[in-house]
Amino acid sequence: MLFIPTCGLTDNFVSDNLYRFKLSVVDKQEQTSFLTVWDNVGKQQLIELISDHHLCDTSSEVTELSATWLTPAHGIQYAFEQAWGSKLHWTLQQNHEYALFEIECGISQSTVVALPMLGDMPVDEARTYVQEAIRNQASDKQYEFNGKFEAYIERVQFWRYPDYGSVWVFEYYGDSSITPELSGMIYLDTLNITVEIHDNLDMQYLYRQKCFENGFQPYKCWSLDEQAEFYRQLVALKEHQLMVYGFIPSFAETILSYEHVLPSDDMLSMTDAEKLAKEAVSYLIDDENATTSDFFIGASLIRTTEDKIAYCFYLELPDKAQEKIAVDAYSGKIIDLDLSLSRD
């Protein structure tokens, strides 16, 4: 999702609002440490600061988006994107300013994001080297790439590592991609170049994109609709994956081990099935002040090997052990199910 600056406001007004927002965040962090203990209360406080400083149109819009803010950095970045636009288009100065603010407000300890200095390779020269390396690798590995970088959104960054020195970083995004399809880094001390070309049909690439869309949550935490749709994608790509890569990734094997289906009107609702599952596993919870709701981490609706439809609920106990409980989607009976408990 590409963010644009708040409509109808002058650049100076937005810049002033962002400046005051930054002061308010640092002040509140010093008083309450709301970014250090990241919970729903902290999220709400950040939402109020974003709204109070007119960096969004409505607070309800931010509240809905905040479900994907797994860390305070996600919320802070959202605020900056409202002022500057998508981070894909940030200048080197903006990238640097944002990285320094993460340190200032206490959500990061250090950064490699820097600004080029006199004597560093110019960006245009670095781009020429990196793009040529990408073309060469695409040709060597017979990737489908037409060499037209102007068809992509280019994101440029400059990093300075303590050990590896200065690095130009170039990432190329498609119109709808949320992770780069092409990327290259040139290390200025050695002139070594590393390149990555992502196959849009690679299961790993698609899974990373989907996890990103869902706030970095694994598939078992997605909606049932999204799980079923992604399952169908994997089925369609299985032959391609084996032919090109020779193996199926472990997360895909887990998803493909059972057919993911959609609920129908004659099934139990997921809410009713979850109540039955919680009753069945309540004995696993040692803490008398806790409830099973505190430990449920996701659910899937699958067709079992016995051709039954079952809700499978996943939970993670305080000792980090994972458990599952399967509920027949029609009868409500608890059934045995040999389902991998991988964290994918």
Side-chain angles (χ1 to χ4, degrees), residues 251-265:
F251 80 86
E253 287 184 342
T254 299
I255 297 173
L256 289 168
S257 60
Y258 289 93
E259 179 187 357
H260 290 248
V261 299
L262 293 173
S264 58
D265 293 339

Side-chain angles (χ1 to χ4, degrees), residues 82-247:
Q82 295 309 296
W84 293 343
S86 166
K87 68 179 182 180
L88 301 188
H89 301 290
W90 289 359
T91 65
L92 296 176
Q93 289 77 11
Q94 287 171 330
N95 279 310
H96 190 232
E97 180 179 336
Y98 172 79
L100 293 180
F101 182 69
E102 282 199 349
I103 297 173
E104 186 180 356
C105 68
I107 62 176
S108 179
Q109 299 300 311
S110 61
T111 183
V112 297
V113 179
L115 293 173
M117 299 187 301
L118 187 65
D120 286 324
M121 179 184 290
V123 63
D124 290 341
E125 184 180 351
R127 179 185 290 109
T128 299
Y129 283 123
V130 168
Q131 289 187 354
E132 184 62 25
I134 291 174
R135 288 192 185 96
N136 291 338
Q137 181 161 313
S139 176
D140 292 343
K141 296 193 175 182
Q142 298 182 334
Y143 289 125
E144 292 185 8
F145 172 57
N146 59 16
K148 295 182 178 179
F149 288 95
E150 61 271 16
Y152 294 87
I153 298 170
E154 180 188 71
R155 184 187 187 195
V156 182
Q157 299 178 80
F158 188 85
W159 297 346
R160 202 182 305 279
Y161 288 102
D163 298 330
Y164 303 111
S166 302
V167 184
W168 279 110
V169 183
F170 297 86
E171 296 176 331
Y172 296 91
Y173 295 76
D175 288 336
S176 59
S177 60
I178 51 181
T179 57
E181 296 182 14
L182 312 165
S183 60
M185 303 169 64
I186 180 168
Y187 294 79
L188 303 191
D189 288 356
T190 61
L191 296 185
N192 288 337
I193 300 175
T194 61
V195 168
E196 287 190 32
I197 301 176
H198 303 283
D199 177 5
N200 289 331
L201 299 180
D202 175 18
M203 290 178 174
Q204 292 275 17
Y205 178 74
L206 291 172
Y207 187 58
R208 285 199 300 271
Q209 288 234 108
K210 195 65 180 176
C211 287
F212 185 92
E213 290 176 17
N214 285 282
F216 302 100
Q217 296 284 355
Y219 86 97
K220 61 173 67 91
C221 301
W222 306 348
S223 71
L224 298 183
D225 286 356
E226 289 176 306
Q227 289 184 37
E229 179 186 356
F230 193 69
Y231 166 82
R232 290 192 291 268
Q233 274 187 286
L234 294 185
V235 170
L237 291 173
K238 189 173 181 179
E239 184 176 342
H240 169 84
Q241 188 76 22
L242 288 171
M243 180 178 66
V244 175
Y245 301 98
F247 70 97

Side-chain angles (χ1 to χ4, degrees), residues 265-300:
D265 293 339
D266 54 344
M267 294 181 192
L268 289 172
S269 69
M270 190 164 75
T271 300
D272 289 339
E274 186 175 343
K275 290 178 182 177
L276 295 170
K278 288 176 179 177
E279 291 175 4
V281 298
S282 58
Y283 71 94
L284 294 171
I285 310 302
D286 294 331
D287 187 348
E288 60 183 18
N289 295 318
T291 68
T292 50
S293 298
D294 299 325
F295 304 105
F296 271 77
I297 58 175
S300 298

Side-chain angles (χ1 to χ4, degrees), residues 266-270 272-274 276-277 300-302 304 306-313 325-337:
D266 54 344
M267 294 181 192
L268 289 172
S269 69
M270 190 164 75
D272 289 339
E274 186 175 343
L276 295 170
S300 298
L301 182 61
I302 59 176
T304 73
E306 293 79 24
D307 204 33
K308 294 181 178 179
I309 306 297
Y311 289 100
C312 186
F313 297 96
I325 186 74
V327 179
D328 189 295
Y330 293 99
S331 70
K333 293 181 179 179
I334 306 300
I335 60 176
D336 291 328
L337 191 64

